[in-house]
Amino acid sequence: MKNLLVVIGLILLSYSCKQKEDSVLSKPKLSIAEKIANAHGFEHWKNVSEIQFTFNKKRNWTWHPKTKDVTLITEKDTISYNRKSIDSLSKKADRAFINDKFWLLIPFQLVWDAGTTISEPIKEIAPISKIKMNKITLLYGSEGGYTPGDAYDIYFEDDYMIKEWAFRKGNKPKAGLTNTFENYKDFNGIKIAQDHKRNKGDWNLTLSEISVKIN
């Protein structure tokens, strides 16, 4: 009887281990883009109902991602439109919105944007800090969108938080803009870098007056 109990116990233990193994194997492997997005709070995005932010002290945005309603406020104008129906009047505002939102949520754009290729990560010296980091290159297709063919070299640490990037217009070998991602703050689970500084001078592109509302 004792031997029978031992055998049954071993069978149950083997079955339990097999279930755990199958559970691990069934989990989809995350891409590098997903790992970076998740590090910046992508799992909370589904709950976001409104984002407000000011881009470089020039343009204030209110965006409702679920309805796609956008409002732009500048010193001269207030423009409201819906991204489902871009016309000739709203196209200029939407171009600015795409640019500013890209700075705000580049970790999520890695997952959202279609028609892109993302390289495998490599180790490389970051251009500003001169620290060895992980690097991927985000390359946009040659057709469609507002900036076809552009490339971004994105530098991130082992926790997948972005620290620097280099923008290469038209995938040119030399970067036209290189800057940091710093002064991160958590807005209802969404982690956003508020300051983007160049290597020299007092240049700093800021994202301020940030508000993230959730359902």
Side-chain angles (χ1 to χ4, degrees):
M1 182 68 178
K2 183 177 180 182
N3 290 338
L4 177 62
L5 291 175
V6 170
V7 170
I8 292 173
L10 290 173
I11 291 173
L12 291 175
L13 178 62
S14 176
Y15 179 71
S16 175
C17 291
K18 181 66 167 57
Q19 280 190 315
K20 290 180 180 178
E21 181 181 347
D22 289 345
S23 176
V24 171
L25 292 175
S26 66
K27 291 181 180 179
K29 184 178 179 180
L30 294 179
S31 67
I32 190 65
E34 291 170 325
K35 289 178 181 179
I36 293 172
N38 288 344
H40 292 78
F42 188 64
E43 69 272 18
H44 299 287
W45 180 255
K46 62 183 180 294
N47 301 319
V48 175
S49 59
E50 178 188 283
I51 286 187
Q52 294 184 21
F53 69 100
T54 297
F55 178 82
N56 214 25
K57 302 177 183 178
K58 294 179 180 179
R59 296 185 289 262
N60 179 266
W61 297 97
T62 300
W63 174 33
H64 296 88
K66 296 184 186 301
T67 63
K68 299 188 182 299
D69 290 312
V70 177
T71 297
L72 164 64
I73 300 176
T74 66
E75 291 182 353
K76 298 180 179 179
D77 296 303
T78 297
I79 301 171
S80 295
Y81 67 99
N82 189 284
R83 301 205 67 240
K84 295 177 183 177
S85 54
I86 305 296
D87 56 26
S88 58
L89 296 176
S90 57
K91 188 172 183 178
K92 183 178 179 180
D94 192 61
R95 183 186 291 271
F97 174 71
I98 292 298
N99 175 80
D100 299 357
K101 175 172 69 74
F102 194 84
W103 283 87
L104 184 80
L105 296 174
I106 175 59
F108 299 173
Q109 299 294 155
L110 293 173
V111 176
W112 287 336
D113 289 351
T116 64
T117 57
I118 298 175
S119 69
E120 290 296 318
I122 61 173
K123 289 286 187 178
E124 192 171 285
I125 300 297
I128 295 179
S129 65
K130 306 303 180 185
I131 296 172
K132 183 175 282 191
M133 295 188 193
N134 304 291
K135 172 196 161 184
I136 58 171
T137 295
L138 169 66
L139 177 63
Y140 282 82
S142 58
E143 297 181 1
Y146 291 132
T147 57
D150 289 345
Y152 296 82
D153 298 320
I154 297 172
Y155 298 84
F156 59 98
E157 295 186 333
D158 289 342
D159 60 1
Y160 297 101
M161 296 297 292
I162 295 175
K163 295 299 182 181
E164 299 179 26
W165 76 0
F167 168 67
R168 295 184 287 113
K169 186 171 181 59
N171 198 21
K172 293 179 180 178
K174 186 176 180 180
L177 174 66
T178 303
N179 56 260
T180 64
F181 280 64
E182 53 188 282
N183 191 17
Y184 273 95
K185 186 176 178 181
D186 189 310
F187 299 90
N188 277 323
I190 308 296
K191 298 173 184 176
I192 298 173
Q194 299 174 100
D195 291 308
H196 303 276
K197 300 176 182 179
R198 289 185 182 177
N199 192 24
K200 296 179 181 179
D202 58 358
W203 189 93
N204 182 17
L205 188 148
T206 62
L207 298 166
S208 58
E209 300 176 282
I210 301 171
S211 171
V212 177
K213 295 181 180 179
I214 60 175
N215 292 333

